[in-house]
Amino acid sequence: MPLPVTVSNESGKPMYQQIKEQIRELIVSGTLQEGTLLPSIRELSADLSCSSITIRRVYQDLENEKLLVTRQGTGTFVASVDEGDRSRYRSTAVAEAFKTAVELGRRMQCAEDEMRKMVEDLLLATRKGETK
Amino acid sequence: MNTTSMNNHAISLSNLTVSHGTSFILGPINCVLEPGTVTALVGPNGSGKSTLFRTMMNYHFPDGGEINYWGLNYSNDAVEIKSRLGYVPELSELDQHGKHLRDLSSFMSHWYPTWDTHKYNYLAEHFELEETMPFKQMSKGSQRKASLILAMSHNPELLLLDEPSSGLDPFATRKMIEEITHYMEEPDRTVLIATHSMDEVRRLADFVLFMYNGKQIGYYEKDALIDDWRSVWVQNDVEAPYSWPGVLHVENGGPIRVITNKYRELLEYLDANRIAVIKTETLELEEILLQLLIPYKEAGKKSIRR
């Protein structure tokens, strides 16, 4: 079962971080429901063209965050995520995305007011007819 | 004495050298492969990959150094080593060993205590091979498939594969990649696979052993290579980019593009010096390997052609 995860070659983030963030989002958003069996470490590494060392690290980190649970001999499953954790992860994920954008803005020497305006405009533009 | 201690490396090559008379062939090779890992052996033709495999199979004696499998060596434990590994040679030449696949599999089932008929039948069917077709009539690709099936059907702990996909069409190659992936689901199995296909390296390998002209260029964790190397584009009014962290190559085509093998350090450096990054991009594996080769090539031509 291929996961809807992609590794970007322009992201600048290490592979394991990209994969971890995307799987975390899939779980926290409810797209991957509790009890879903994840691909084996080797399957996912072949799918994403990364090494099993990277995937093992991703699964281990997410298990430490209590988002995944591994049952010996059976596989790795999505754990239950309580609502409090869910909203906390949601804000962390969005904060991370803002952080990346702001860092890029700083590197491109974008003024703070310019960046604020961009956010305002985006919020306006995405207000009507949103899908989520 | 048989010890299957978990601390034993699956393969340990220390200072391995091979010569032919006074002519140097390969070495010194120094590396250790842990159980549970897949290592891709890459390098241009003539790098010594097949010689390395034949030496590791004891068909060719090294002139120096040691080969150990799980702490065992050929002097004392040749039979045990051979029974625990599966080998696909560079050239199949199966017709020299038997009439057809069923013939050879029957022969091997008597020699290998761990022969798995169920697995053999599954693989023969999965790769769509006719068991009773004489090898002399088989295409090169089908012979390759047969070699792989025979190597895997006794559930070895280690697979030594010398360009197993050579001669295979893309569909069969895909099946091969899937089967190696399934093979590695069992813990403590190990694969050393020589290949020219960067796709196989990307999909299968945890580590890359890079050889050139008989020498070991390096043994790398594959994802560390991909994460550490980058193309970075910056504005073109910068000074001395060659002095930046890890920068090995600089190109000026409007914005300046540099290639670095220390991406995180370079980002910090650029940030600290208020140099704007326009874009970053990972390097293809083959580009990284080409860059690694540069110090080793006689004619040091420093540009990469897109």
Side-chain angles (χ1 to χ4, degrees):
Chain A
M1 187 245 311
L3 288 181
V5 169
T6 22
V7 175
S8 154
N9 61 0
E10 294 187 15
S11 137
K13 289 186 194 173
M15 284 188 287
Y16 92 90
Q17 194 180 337
Q18 293 181 48
I19 297 168
K20 184 165 71 168
E21 286 171 4
Q22 289 177 55
I23 298 182
R24 186 193 286 132
E25 208 213 286
L26 288 170
I27 295 174
V28 164
S29 65
T31 310
L32 281 179
Q33 297 187 339
E34 179 187 344
T36 307
L37 173 66
L38 257 56
S40 72
I41 289 175
R42 282 284 168 190
E43 268 171 2
L44 190 54
S45 18
D47 274 343
L48 298 180
S49 292
C50 61
S51 85
S52 67
I53 297 171
T54 296
I55 301 298
R56 185 163 295 128
R57 188 174 170 191
V58 168
Y59 278 14
Q60 190 63 62
D61 283 2
L62 291 174
E63 206 172 338
N64 292 341
E65 291 179 32
K66 308 261 190 288
L67 291 176
L68 292 179
V69 60
T70 300
R71 282 177 220 136
Q72 280 284 52
T74 324
T76 302
F77 298 83
V78 177
S80 64
V81 186
D82 78 43
E83 200 38 60
D85 284 347
R86 207 182 279 283
S87 51
R88 195 163 41 87
Y89 284 124
R90 189 163 46 220
S91 27
T92 308
V94 177
E96 279 292 324
F98 271 120
K99 181 163 179 254
T100 306
V102 169
E103 279 171 354
L104 176 64
R106 295 260 188 241
R107 283 202 297 274
M108 305 274 263
Q109 286 151 3
C110 226
E112 285 187 11
D113 282 341
E114 207 183 329
M115 291 195 266
R116 272 192 208 100
K117 183 168 192 307
M118 282 182 196
V119 175
E120 296 286 356
D121 290 348
L122 273 169
L123 286 170
L124 262 172
T126 53
R127 195 166 290 169
K128 295 200 193 342
E130 62 224 19
T131 50
K132 282 212 168 120
Chain B
M1 187 165 74
N2 299 342
T3 47
T4 43
S5 144
M6 285 310 171
N7 291 328
N8 273 330
H9 312 301
I11 304 178
S12 161
L13 305 175
S14 38
N15 276 325
L16 190 65
T17 55
V18 180
S19 317
H20 190 66
T22 51
S23 315
F24 161 84
I25 297 193
L26 72 83
I29 307 291
N30 278 294
C31 78
V32 151
L33 274 61
E34 302 298 348
T37 63
V38 175
T39 298
L41 176 57
V42 302
N45 288 329
S47 298
K49 306 193 293 290
S50 292
T51 305
L52 180 60
F53 274 114
R54 283 196 294 274
T55 310
M56 288 175 68
M57 286 298 292
N58 212 28
Y59 297 157
H60 195 123
F61 297 136
D63 294 89
E66 275 179 40
I67 305 171
N68 279 291
Y69 295 94
W70 310 288
L72 308 169
N73 60 56
Y74 278 118
S75 306
N76 301 316
D77 309 292
V79 171
E80 185 178 348
I81 292 173
K82 290 290 179 84
S83 74
R84 288 162 70 174
L85 66 78
Y87 172 53
V88 172
E90 188 190 1
L91 299 170
S92 285
E93 296 174 340
L94 289 168
D95 52 328
Q96 294 179 14
H97 300 286
K99 270 206 306 282
H100 45 54
L101 186 56
R102 181 173 292 168
D103 205 36
L104 267 191
S105 69
S106 166
F107 174 76
M108 285 180 74
S109 68
H110 290 113
W111 280 97
Y112 287 95
T114 51
W115 183 264
D116 183 346
T117 308
H118 191 71
K119 166 124 284 174
Y120 162 76
N121 286 331
Y122 162 77
L123 288 172
E125 196 192 311
H126 192 56
F127 281 102
E128 293 168 29
L129 282 192
E130 265 189 61
E131 282 185 79
T132 51
M133 175 187 281
F135 286 128
K136 283 186 181 7
Q137 286 176 23
M138 258 194 187
S139 67
K140 178 186 175 191
S142 293
Q143 284 200 41
R144 287 320 263 154
K145 292 181 201 174
S147 289
L148 182 64
I149 291 170
L150 291 169
M152 294 180 87
S153 294
H154 63 103
N155 291 323
E157 287 167 58
L158 164 66
L159 282 175
L160 296 178
L161 307 174
D162 194 350
E163 294 189 35
S165 63
S166 109
L168 293 190
D169 65 55
F171 310 103
T173 301
R174 197 186 179 128
K175 279 187 190 170
M176 180 200 83
I177 292 177
E178 278 168 15
E179 286 310 319
I180 295 176
T181 303
H182 290 149
Y183 167 81
M184 286 302 293
E185 302 282 5
E186 287 292 319
D188 297 326
R189 284 180 171 176
T190 314
V191 173
L192 175 62
I193 173 170
T195 180
H196 287 299
S197 157
M198 290 297 117
D199 190 52
E200 281 169 41
V201 179
R202 277 187 291 262
R203 287 191 192 282
L204 290 172
D206 303 313
F207 295 93
V208 176
L209 176 58
F210 188 30
M211 283 180 70
Y212 177 67
N213 270 352
K215 295 232 166 280
Q216 175 174 333
I217 306 295
Y219 183 62
Y220 312 95
E221 194 187 312
K222 187 198 70 184
D223 286 356
L225 276 183
I226 294 176
D227 280 335
D228 290 344
W229 289 70
R230 279 295 192 287
S231 279
V232 179
W233 282 262
V234 295
Q235 73 224 27
N236 60 1
D237 54 342
V238 292
E239 281 176 31
Y242 271 107
S243 67
W244 298 350
V247 169
L248 299 169
H249 174 70
V250 176
E251 244 172 52
N252 197 334
I256 290 191
R257 177 178 92 119
V258 303
I259 291 180
T260 177
N261 63 5
K262 295 191 169 75
Y263 173 59
R264 319 247 148 251
E265 281 180 49
L266 177 61
L267 263 196
E268 279 170 25
Y269 177 89
L270 295 176
D271 206 44
N273 286 276
R274 303 212 167 293
I275 297 171
V277 169
I278 297 170
K279 181 176 139 138
T280 73
E281 199 176 77
T282 55
L283 260 63
E284 296 289 341
L285 253 179
E286 46 267 75
E287 283 185 78
I288 298 175
L289 296 176
L290 272 168
Q291 282 290 329
L292 287 168
L293 267 190
I294 286 174
Y296 291 84
K297 288 196 170 220
E298 252 115 30
K301 207 167 177 258
K302 285 225 164 206
S303 58
I304 284 187
R305 288 209 321 241
R306 283 181 151 279

